[in-house]
Each structure stands twice: as structure tokens, then as C-alpha cells.
Amino acid sequence: MESSDGFVSKEQLELAKSAPESTDPSSVSYMDGHPKKGASGGKETWGGLHDPKEDASLYNNDPNYDSTEEQDGDQTIKGTPRKLDGYKRKATVIVEEYFATGDVVSTANELRELKLPSYSYYFVKKLVSMAMDRHDKEKEMTAVLLSALYAEVIDPSQVYKGFRKLVESADDLIVDIPEAVDVLALFIARAVVDDILPPVFLKKQLASLPADSKGIDVLRRAEKGYLAAPLHSEIIERRWESNMNKTVDDVKVKISNLLVEYIASGDTKEACRCIKELKVPFFHHEIVKRALVMAMERRAVESRLLDLLKKTAEEGLINSSQVTKGFSRMIDVVDDLSLDIPDARGILKSLISNAASEGWLSASSLKSLSPPSPKESVEGAAKKFKMKAQSIIQEYFLSGDVAEVSDCIEFENSSCSPDLNAMFIKRLVTLAMDRKNREKEMASVLLSSLCFPTDDVVHGFVMLIESADDTVLDNPIVVEDLGMFLARAVVDEVIAPQQLEEIGSQFLGTESTGNKVLQMAKSLLKARLAGERILRCWGGGGSSSKNGCAVEDVKDKIGKLLEEFESGGDIREACRCIKELGMPFFHHEVVKKALVKIMESKSEKLWGLLNEGFRSGLITSYQMTKGFGRVAESMEDLRLDVPDAEKQFEYYIEKAKLTGWLDSSFGIGPTTKSSFVKENGINV
């Protein structure tokens, strides 16, 4: 039935048209074509997609089913059981898609679009239970996803509830998974190590389970077999050493390459064959999105790219939901694209109109493309800043580079908005409280280094205290932690002592969380030798001399690997070494050092390394732009050693523009900084 050219045959097309829309896409493995345990159908399935009209008895043997879940949702919503049933079907699809692509960002967006946060516990339960019956790759992917979604997409209480449901269903899980006790115990231990599950979870669940429950064995195994072992954190984190041979980045690179080759050759059959060979049907929306971006950037090839999308849609190679999703993702990023493509919104409207008129896109299912209202614009800017703040803080906890954080905040909050400054402080302290003493110390060091206006800092702490009642669900000692951060801010002269009263005036009542935090801070400040004690409260681990990954060490490693490559090293080995640094946000230093060496030695061997890094996605466009920007900033010093440095640099800038590394607006002088701001707005 499969045609030789990689298309769907006429017989297959007829079958596809006659098949019901609800056919379970998760019932077939995208890797080998065989039914998977955990998908619909078969003797020992775990409840994949199904017809909601089927008899309810289908749930009886499903360890993911819990009759009490029908009442766990919002009782005020009419048809709650039906909503949960629909959520379960969608959750299965989302998990299957994530296992196929590894795309954390797309998975997070899918969950947000469901708009049913009160059912997130079921997603946690489904994700873990499906991973338990798969390889170490999927288990590691699950642990990574849970850490990424924690607090940002899935509320901590929902994560807690999801693991509670898993422990309670251990007796059912072991029927299909003989090693369920050990695997689930390891998932729980990993969740504790990753700080997404409080250690007290084990004791509370031990007290609530029947004595003969397998859940008791799971919890004891987690506590005594894993968490009580010496160096347990390192052992647990390495247990499923990720062996992901097909990451989402690899797939994205392949998609970009096949589209570039198609533009050059115009061979539709070959392009379709390549798409089919990717074997990631749940990720076809990325093909649609990237093709549309290329069409908007290079208008001369617009019709050719649209012809490819039309052909794949008509042949059923890319289904209608993936086409719609690809266009929807374009609508979400059109404002960012407008920074590089002035009429991006108008061009996208034209593309949508053409696709709809030709019948391969349902425009009615897309959100409006009209410009957002002023209120939506402000809310959207705040939402984007929160996401970027999270990224900036996580990078800071890895690198300890205060200057880098200051630069990033300056670019992201160019208007110095007090609200955005307060949001950053709230996010910084919240993330630090959920981590170890090193990060707490680093957070305090950063607070005293950023020189935010005092009122903004006060506002940030007020926001923290206001949200303390929610934070306490995950962090039982939030009063002590916040009190210490507040006292440290006073000792570091970030806020004045009298401003504690200003904060306290907003939280009246002796039993309020805000009042307790204030009393804790005051008692710490009144103690004998309070200043010295508070400064040492977290061990001084955030000082520049004690960073877990010193910037100077990384710079030294980068210099050595570039020297080894230049003296005859292998390009693949060099890329592997860059990747093993584990600091993708610092790859601009690779670009900078490579460019300086190229200009000093007049040898372009390192240019090939940069080209390979960019082509493979190892060095992003943002990092490339930032690296060139760093060279431009140090041009005066560089001229002392290389008299013609500026002339050479201009040549390499033009060369980089031709290869697509840099935006056409990049240049030495005033334009350099504006170019960097533009890239930063899109890619961070």
C-alpha cells in the first residue's frame, strides 16, 4: 500500500478519509509501527484514547482510573466527569507527543491550552505511569519535564496530588509492571532530589495507606533504598543517564535542512519522503511553522514553500490539526517576527488567506490576528518578562555572572518599569527558596548588586509575602526563609530598617503570614552580632570566588578547546567539547574568542567550527550576534595587537550576514547595540 515515492497512496488516502477522526494516534509506535502497551486496544492496555460512548467498565482494569477522580474537579462546573474524561484523552496524546519529540516548550503550551489546571494531577500520574513501562530514555525525559513544568505550568499541590494517586494505585500498576515498586520509588526519590516533591510526602503517605498496600513498599524503597544512601542525589540523578539519540534539536535541524534543500531543488517528492522518514507526526507543526517563517523572510520562494505545505496537507502527510497548530504558533510569535520583518503581520494574513482559499487550512479555527489592545499589550509584556526573568535567573545560578544579569535586565526592561523590577525580585527569591543555600546566597548577592530603587525592592517583597500562603504548600518553612531574605536585605542596605514597618503596615493581624515574616526578620536583626550572623546564614556560597561553575574557568576551557582544534583537532570533537560545557547561554564567548583568534592568526579554520556550530543548532543566532557584539565592544583593545582588526571585522560581519548568522542591520558602532537588542527581544 505504501507508494515508492514516499507519498500516501490513493488507497491509503481513501482509507484515511473513511477512518473516524477519533482514531487513536498513540496506538502505533512511531519508531517501529507496532502497537504499544499503554495505547488503545489490546489485552493489557492502560487506557489510551477511546470512544467516550464505550461502556464505563473499560475503566475497571485501568490502574490510572480512580472513581474518586470524577469528583476531584470543580463541583460547580456542569458535566465535570465528561471534562475529566476529555482531559484524560488529551493528556495521553500530549504525553505520546512529548515522548516522540522531547519538546518541553511545546508540551507546556499544550497543557496551558487545556485551561484545566485543577486536573493537572492526572497529567502527572499519566506521564509517570506511561514512562514506567518504557525505556530509561522516557523515564529521564519524564523527570526533566516534571522539573520544567513545576510551579510554572503545574501547581506544586497538583504535583503532590499526582504522586499521591500513583502511590495509591501501586497495587494496580504492579499487575502490568512487575518492577513497579522499584521504578515508582525511584521516580519519587528523583522528585524529592529535584525539589518538586517535599520529603515530608513519604511520611504523610506512609501514615495514610493500608498496611498491606504496595504503596507502603514503594515509599519504604524510596526512603531506605534511595534517599538514605550516601551521595544519593548524584546516584539518583544519573540512574537514567539520558540516552536520547533523537532530541527535539536534532529534529529541528533535520527539518531546517530538508526545507533548505527543497528550496534549492524544488523536488516535492524528495521533501515528502524526508518528512515521512522523520517519523514524528506529532511534530509536523514545526515543519509548517519553519516553512512559513522562511516564506516570510524570503518572499521569492514563498510560492514554492506554500506548494509543499499544500501538497503534504492534501496527501494527508501533514494532518489538518498539525497545519492549524503550525499557523497558530506563527500568530503567537508574529509580534517578535515584526522586529526583523516589518510587515510580518500583513504577510501572515496574506499567507492565511491564500491557504484558506485553496482549502488546506481552516481559518475559522485560528485566533484573531488583529493588533492587541493596550491592556493586552501590557499584560503580554509582563508575561514575556516573567518567562525571560526565569531564564535569566536560571542562567545566573549556573554561571554566577552578575554583570550578565544586569545587562539582560537592562535590555528586557529598557523602561525601568517598577512593576517589572518587582516581578524580577519576586521570581529570584521564589526560585532561590526552592533551592540550596548556594542559590540563596547568590540571590542575596544579586539583589545587592543590581541597585534597583528601594521602592521597587519593597514592592517585590510585598508581592512575595502576599503569595506566601500558596508557597507554604511546597515550602513549609517559607516564613523562616522569607524572614531571612528580608533581614539580609536590610543588612546589605538594599532596603532601610524603617521600611520594614512600611511592609508590615500592609499585613495587619498577628496571625497573618505577612506579620509572621516581619516578626521573624525583626527578631533576626535584634540578635547579638546580627549583621555577621545574617551575612553568614547561607555559608557565603554566592560570592564570586565560590561559584559552582566559575566564569573564568569556563573561559579558560573555551580557549584551550579552540587552541586544540586549531592545531589539528577534529571538528566533531570540538563541537562535543563545547556541548559538554553545559552552558549554552555562554556560547557567545566561543564566538568571541574564535573571531579574535581568526583575526590574529589570519587563519579561517575556526570559521568552519563556527559554521558547524551554527548549522547544527549548537550556537544560536542570539549567541552568534552577542559574540560579534562582544568583539565590537573590545575593538579598541584589539587594535593594539591587530592594527587592521576593524577592517577584518567588517569583512567577517558581511560574511556572517551572507551565511545567515547575523541580521542585516548588524554593524560596528551605534548600530551594534540596537542589533543586539533586536535579537535579544526575539530569542531569549
Side-chain angles (χ1 to χ4, degrees), residues 503-514:
I503 296 173
S505 66
Q506 301 188 43
F507 302 98
L508 302 176
T510 56
E511 295 303 314
S512 69
T513 304

Side-chain angles (χ1 to χ4, degrees), residues 109-110 113 289 324-337 345 348 352 366-369 383-384:
N109 290 335
E110 293 276 3
E113 288 172 6
K289 180 193 171 188
T324 301
K325 188 174 179 181
F327 274 91
S328 296
R329 290 182 63 198
M330 287 297 296
I331 292 173
D332 291 336
V333 300
V334 70
D335 290 327
D336 288 337
L337 285 172
R345 189 177 291 273
L348 184 56
I352 291 172
L366 299 175
K367 64 179 74 173
S368 173
L369 244 180
K383 186 176 180 181
K384 286 182 181 179

Side-chain angles (χ1 to χ4, degrees), residues 19-30 33-42 45-51 54 88-97 126 130 134 281-282 319:
E21 285 289 327
S22 60
T23 299
D24 179 11
S26 66
S27 63
V28 177
S29 164
Y30 303 112
H34 297 299
K36 285 284 186 183
K37 191 174 184 179
S40 296
T45 61
W46 278 21
L49 298 185
H50 63 280
D51 186 344
E54 288 178 353
K88 288 182 176 183
R89 295 196 303 274
K90 292 174 182 177
T92 302
V93 175
I94 292 172
V95 173
E96 288 285 1
E97 178 176 356
K126 187 68 175 175
M130 288 177 68
R134 302 204 180 196
F282 277 125
N319 64 42

Side-chain angles (χ1 to χ4, degrees), residues 153-260:
V153 180
I154 300 179
D155 188 81
S157 63
Q158 291 288 308
V159 174
Y160 190 103
K161 184 176 179 180
F163 275 97
R164 175 168 61 80
K165 294 283 186 183
L166 281 161
V167 172
E168 291 171 352
S169 64
D171 293 286
D172 295 322
L173 290 170
I174 203 167
V175 174
D176 283 326
I177 309 172
E179 66 277 13
V181 170
D182 184 68
V183 178
L184 183 53
L186 187 51
F187 265 113
I188 291 171
R190 176 65 180 266
V192 172
V193 169
D194 287 343
D195 291 329
I196 65 171
L197 201 62
V200 73
F201 171 86
L202 285 81
K203 291 183 180 179
K204 284 189 176 181
Q205 296 311 304
L206 276 170
S208 64
L209 290 170
D212 59 345
S213 169
K214 286 293 179 184
I216 297 287
D217 297 336
V218 170
L219 296 169
R220 285 175 177 165
R221 175 68 176 156
E223 183 177 18
K224 297 179 180 179
Y226 291 110
L227 294 171
L231 302 175
H232 65 273
S233 295
E234 292 79 0
I235 294 171
I236 292 168
E237 287 176 346
R238 294 174 183 171
R239 181 64 181 269
W240 294 319
E241 283 284 337
S242 183
N243 190 21
M244 299 165 63
N245 53 19
K246 184 166 68 172
T247 65
V248 66
D249 290 332
D250 295 332
V251 177
K252 286 181 177 180
V253 169
K254 289 178 181 178
I255 289 172
S256 293
N257 288 342
L258 78 85
L259 289 174
V260 170

Side-chain angles (χ1 to χ4, degrees), residues 371-411:
S373 65
K375 181 180 178 181
E376 290 173 335
S377 297
V378 172
E379 292 175 350
K383 186 176 180 181
K384 286 182 181 179
F385 182 80
K386 285 180 182 178
M387 294 176 65
K388 290 173 182 176
Q390 171 106 355
S391 175
I392 292 168
I393 294 164
Q394 288 173 337
E395 290 178 9
Y396 168 68
F397 284 157
L398 286 171
S399 70
D401 193 339
V402 174
E404 178 71 9
V405 176
S406 182
D407 288 343
C408 289
I409 293 176
E410 182 182 347
F411 286 128

Side-chain angles (χ1 to χ4, degrees), residues 254-274:
K254 289 178 181 178
I255 289 172
S256 293
N257 288 342
L258 78 85
L259 289 174
V260 170
E261 290 175 10
Y262 168 71
I263 289 172
S265 67
D267 190 339
T268 307
K269 291 183 178 180
E270 176 64 15
C272 290
R273 184 190 66 79
C274 291

